[in-house]
Amino acid sequence: MSPLTTISHADDLACLPACPVEPLEPAAFRLTLPSRHLALQDTGGALLARCSLWRARDASGAPTMTGLIGHYAAADADAGAEVLEHALDWHRADGCERVIGPMDGSTWHRYRLLTERGTEPIFFLEPNNPDDWTAHFTDAGFVPLATYFSALNPDLTRCDPRSEQRRAELERDGITMRKIDVERFEAELAAIHELSLEAFARNLLYSPIGLDAFLASYTPIRPHLVPELVLLAERGGQLVGFIFGIPDLEEPARGDPLRTMIVKSMAVHPSCGGNGLGGLLMDDCQQAARKLGFERTIHALMHETNRSRSISARYGTTIRRYTLYERALK
């Protein structure tokens, strides 16, 4: 095997050269706190592949018998096979019964591989990877665990004709909607964090996240926030739903006009499930984007079985698919 470096502190990443694979950013290490980071190097010290390792947590935050592999990158199939073999051996020795990847510690951070690229360019905050990385995992014995998709609504002139009736019904139930108050950004995010813990608790591989880590994950987005695209639904002063939209900053970065808004996340409190609040949030967010001059919306990174799929299907068609993998350990 090639030389393997085991890293347990973010500052140690500075010793790794950047060719042909970029070392993991120390900020990503600190945000996700892996148990171990593996760096595969050639005899000259160049980085060939890397990944980080964690134990998955359950819904109460306790460690499980499932290992995670994330922060994955490999220059080629041989380097990928080698670093994945090291990772599987480590999880096996640690007593894990299965391994899931790629996942950077939990579903609150980056996870999944892009497995069906389609023709649309990559959008802002979308996970991207070389197409051959899928084979790295399947050749190492991984099989699909879950699939996800992103959809495009190319026409924001389309509205949900039921929205005004739903708005009236929700207002009679005490639910009102407003845009986020950027002057109270951290307090607003604290309420979004609390609701997210409730709304996502039944999601696949859910584990809780602390408020500080949640705030840290949104810090890079704050300079790009457009208040009209982040809508909050409240009842009696309590948040019961939200939708978080953000401009597709990859468009101007490519030299294209900014015309696409991304729905990054949406959640409704379980007590409001089925009352039409999710559909109204989506419709209002898209119409707010239209008023701001946006022409299209991408509904990003939805699980194939999530309720949001039925809302998205009213407007959009699938443009991309992603896969999360697992492997049993014997």
Side-chain angles (χ1 to χ4, degrees):
M1 290 187 177
S2 303
L4 185 77
T5 300
T6 298
I7 292 173
S8 57
H9 194 277
D11 293 338
D12 294 334
L13 292 165
C15 68
L16 297 175
C19 180
V21 171
E22 289 288 335
L24 179 67
E25 289 286 340
F29 188 102
R30 295 188 184 99
L31 182 63
T32 56
L33 295 175
S35 300
R36 179 167 294 193
H37 182 74
L38 305 181
L40 186 72
Q41 300 166 274
D42 66 16
T43 54
L47 186 62
L48 301 177
R50 58 169 164 84
C51 70
S52 294
L53 311 177
W54 300 259
R55 274 289 185 106
R57 302 273 171 172
D58 64 18
S60 65
T64 69
M65 301 302 290
T66 296
L68 303 176
I69 296 176
H71 294 154
Y72 180 80
D76 55 42
D78 289 340
E82 197 164 332
V83 78
L84 287 173
E85 181 181 350
H86 281 293
L88 291 168
D89 285 346
W90 189 86
H91 278 310
R92 187 179 291 108
D94 196 40
C96 292
E97 297 175 351
R98 68 169 180 163
V99 176
I100 292 172
M103 180 181 290
D104 295 357
S106 77
T107 55
W108 297 98
H109 305 297
R110 177 171 175 165
Y111 68 106
R112 302 163 285 212
L113 284 180
L114 191 163
T115 47
E116 292 183 27
R117 186 170 296 276
T119 58
E120 280 287 323
I122 293 296
F123 55 82
F124 185 51
L125 300 178
E126 181 181 17
N128 190 17
N129 51 265
D131 292 339
D132 64 337
W133 284 8
T134 298
H136 295 188
F137 278 80
T138 57
D139 289 349
F142 286 81
V143 296
L145 170 63
T147 54
Y148 306 80
F149 72 102
S150 293
L152 172 67
N153 174 8
D155 181 9
L156 295 186
T157 64
R158 288 186 290 179
C159 304
D160 188 337
R162 299 166 293 181
S163 287
E164 292 313 311
Q165 179 181 344
R166 283 175 172 165
R167 192 186 317 278
E169 292 169 351
L170 291 168
E171 287 178 353
R172 285 196 293 270
D173 195 33
I175 297 175
T176 57
M177 292 171 54
R178 63 176 177 86
K179 66 183 180 180
I180 192 171
D181 183 353
V182 293
E183 299 300 321
R184 302 177 57 253
F185 183 71
E186 289 199 359
E188 300 277 56
L189 275 187
I192 290 173
H193 168 256
E194 183 177 354
L195 173 57
S196 297
L197 294 181
E198 290 263 8
F200 301 148
R202 295 174 179 82
N203 285 5
L204 177 69
L205 301 174
Y206 167 85
S207 61
I209 186 175
L211 177 58
D212 288 345
F214 184 82
L215 293 174
S217 69
Y218 274 83
T219 297
I221 299 176
R222 183 172 185 173
H224 312 298
L225 187 144
V226 178
E228 291 82 359
L229 302 180
V230 183
L231 304 181
L232 310 180
E234 295 173 316
R235 180 169 57 193
Q238 296 295 312
L239 189 68
V240 293
F242 73 86
I243 188 167
F244 205 110
I246 191 167
D248 182 5
L249 299 180
E250 289 295 331
E251 290 181 319
R254 294 192 302 267
D256 295 333
L258 178 59
R259 62 192 185 111
T260 304
M261 184 267 288
I262 301 161
V263 176
K264 181 181 181 293
S265 59
M266 181 175 72
V268 170
H269 193 278
S271 66
C272 296
N275 69 356
L277 178 56
L280 183 60
L281 283 165
M282 179 68 80
D283 198 43
D284 278 8
C285 186
Q286 292 190 137
Q287 293 313 304
R290 181 188 177 194
K291 291 177 182 177
L292 291 170
F294 292 91
E295 301 171 6
R296 317 185 320 157
T297 300
I298 290 175
H299 309 153
L301 300 165
M302 296 172 284
H303 191 280
E304 290 281 4
T305 63
N306 277 6
R307 180 177 294 174
S308 56
R309 178 183 183 120
S310 62
I311 298 174
S312 175
R314 300 171 193 162
Y315 307 97
T317 56
T318 298
I319 59 169
R320 198 102 73 230
R321 294 190 185 276
Y322 320 83
T323 306
L324 182 66
Y325 293 91
E326 69 173 342
R327 174 178 161 171
L329 294 180
K330 297 181 180 179

